[in-house]
Structures are given as structure tokens and as C-alpha cells.
Amino acid sequence: MNNWKIKVSIFINYFLFAILLNSVGAVILQVQNTYGISESSASVLEAFKDLSIAGVSFLVASFIVRIGYKNAMLIALGIVSITCLMMPFLNQFWMTKLLFASIGTSFALIKVSVYATIGLITKDKNEHISLMNFIESFFMIGVLAGSFVFSAFIDDLNPQSHAWVNVYYLLAGLAVFAFILLLTSPLDESSIKKESTENTLGGFNEMLRLVIVPVVLVFVASAFIYVLIEQSIMSWLPTFNSKVLHLPASLSIQMASILAASTAIGRFLAGIALRKIKWLFVLLTCVVLAGILVIVALPLAKNLGSEVITGWGNAPIVAFIFPMIGLVIAPIYPAINSVILSSLPNRQHGVMSGLIVIFSALGGTTGSLITGHIFEAYGGESAFYFSLIPLTILIVCLIVFNKLSNSEKAELKSTGGH
């Protein structure tokens, strides 16, 4: 079967959701300017996105087979098409909450379905790995593109302008195109229809049995803390650029793309380093370097002078240096995921993936809420200095995780066994 249409549809899906998911930082900045929302109130947008991902992922892990992968993706694209079109018309803060709830719900459906579909449309392990890497790389391209797409619709001369919501017409059009392409793409799901309905309750029970294993508990704590750090920075970097560094709103969003680019580069370089160096040494080095970067870079945000910043050419050096934290924290998340998954039998990877998505989403929500409240009460510099606390906790978690992962492989292999 010729799978080019379904593959193109998957790429477009991931590109679209990379823009939508990572637009939360830009939208947090814009709702403050347009609707007069405080930092602490704006921070709830991350919760609407991430809690939707967590809740739906928990259900999807067991019910997705009954829905069908293609149907689940069509439902997701239909939801975001409608809510993107609603945004310019309703144009209120409550609508942004509904928008991100729909984005989170849809992404949970998309991610689980895409990962499962890859196995249906590839012939062997090498093709599977190749397609997976291309898809994840395309996701990062979407993250980078999103910063420039959103900034193009922002009126720097009128911060209160509502013109930025017109970007959702473009995104709705992309979602509709992806929907039509997927609808007309053949996908043979006959092999998964043999799954029995008993697997629904089985999936829940296996997830509960797995999460009480000590090494899994420490792992989910590590994943939670990492995403808390990552999202607290990613979601609030545009606001930091605007309110602390005094960059124009459009430039604040554009320069936040440095974080996405440095994260992509960091994961590529770590893929090479981890082939030869023990993962714990690499990750601990990364955490320490991240802490040093915070301590060195943030003082540069003081005494910036009175020069009006007009573009990349005269932006302060801290706007370039601080986002490079993505370079050093990037390897942590994929590495710990790989360690825990390689400790489990293949049949449990789906359940473990559900736990990863759930606790990652909870970490993202917590990080954004805490950062928003600190930002409002004590300012942007203090909000980012806060990252030193979870970075310290992460060092402890990684050391304990390494010790338990070496000693409890046998217990993991037998968890949920028959």
C-alpha cells in the first residue's frame, strides 16, 4: 500500500500541533496586553493545556483501539479546526482557556494515534526509527516556525490590538487541510481491531500496578521536575523578554525561538555523546551547567540602558545567552524516558508512555503556575532564579533513579506479568 498520504498527513499534524502547543508563551504575553490579564491569571492557560493532555491520555491509553487511530486523529483535527475559528469571533480570555483545553485534548489523541500508526505504515525496525526521527524533527521545525508565525500578527505600535487573534484563521485552514488529507488517506487498522474490550480495564490496572514500583515513582518525579523547569522557562520567556528586557512584543516572541533551536541542537549532540558516555554523568553535567547559566546570565538583565530596542541587531546579550539553557537541559527528558522504557517488556511501553505523558503534563502546569505567581509578585528575574530549586532537586532524583534502575530491573520485568 502506498502510504505517502498518511505520512504527509502525520507530518502536517505534528507541525500544526507544535505551533499550537508552544504558542502558550506568546498567548500568555498577548492576553496580558490585550485583555489586561495579570501574570498569575494568564498562567492558568498552561493548566488548561496540560491537564487536558494528562486526563485524555489516561483514557486514550485504553480506549484508542476501540475508536481507531485514524478516527481519533480526525476527531482531534475537527476539534482544533472549530476552536481556532471560534477564537477570532469570541476573542475573550475565557475563549483562550477553551482553546488550550481543546488543543491539549486533541494532542493527546494525535500523539498516541501517530505513535501507533507508525507501526502500521512501516515495514521494519529501521524504517520505523527513521520515520519517528523525521516526525520528531518536524515537530521542532513547527516550534521554531510558530514563534515567527505568531509574531507576524502582532502590532507592536498598539499592544492592546486584537489583530493577533487573526493567526487562528491560518491555523484553522491548516487543520482543515490536514483533516481532508487524512480523510482521503487509506489506513489499514484491521490488525488492531482484534484487541478485546478486556484490555481497557487491563490497561488501567497495569498502569496502577506499575506506578507503585519505587524506580517508576522516582522516574515520574524526575520527569515531573524536568518538565516543570522546561515549561516554566519556555512559557514565560516571551513575557520575560518583553517586561524585563523591554523588547517589542513581536521580537520577544521571535527571540524565544532561540530556546527551541538550542533544545533541538542539544538533543542531537546528546544522541552522539550518550553512545560513549554513561547517561548519569551526562545528565548531571547538564543540570550543573544549567544552574551555572542561570546564575551567570540573569544578572545581565540589569542595567540595560535606555536604548530603544528595535530588532535582533541591538537586542541585549542576555536575550541570546539565557535561552541557551535549552542546549544543556535538552538531553535529560529523552534519556530518562529511554532508561525506564528499556527496563520494561515491550508490551508495557504503551502503559508507561501514558504515565510519561500524564506526569509531564502535570509538571508543565505546575511550573507555569508557580512562575506566573512569582513573576507577578517579585518580577521576572526572581521567577527564573526559582529554577535553581527544582534543578537541585533533579540532581537528587537522577542519582536515586540511577541506583534504583540498576537494582530493580528484575522487578520491573515481572510487574504485571502473567
Side-chain angles (χ1 to χ4, degrees), residues 195-209:
E195 298 283 348
S196 68
T197 55
E198 293 178 1
N199 285 339
T200 300
L201 288 176
F204 289 135
N205 291 336
E206 194 163 17
M207 188 177 291
L208 293 174
R209 284 197 300 268

Side-chain angles (χ1 to χ4, degrees), residues 242-264:
S242 177
K243 296 195 172 185
V244 177
L245 305 185
H246 309 298
L247 275 60
S250 60
L251 184 63
S252 297
I253 295 169
Q254 287 177 17
M255 296 200 73
S257 67
I258 297 173
L259 180 61
S262 64
T263 300

Side-chain angles (χ1 to χ4, degrees), residues 62-103:
S62 295
F63 285 100
I64 195 70
V65 171
R66 298 172 64 183
I67 299 171
Y69 301 142
K70 181 176 175 178
N71 287 338
M73 287 189 282
L74 287 171
I75 291 169
L77 291 169
I79 291 171
V80 295
S81 298
I82 294 169
T83 51
C84 282
L85 286 173
M86 289 169 61
M87 183 64 198
F89 289 103
L90 298 177
N91 197 11
Q92 298 288 332
F93 182 50
W94 67 265
M95 183 59 215
T96 64
K97 297 177 184 177
L98 177 61
L99 175 70
F100 279 105
S102 73
I103 291 170

Side-chain angles (χ1 to χ4, degrees), residues 23-37:
S23 70
V24 67
V27 176
I28 282 174
L29 172 59
Q30 287 308 108
V31 297
Q32 294 174 66
N33 293 335
T34 305
Y35 307 134
I37 303 299

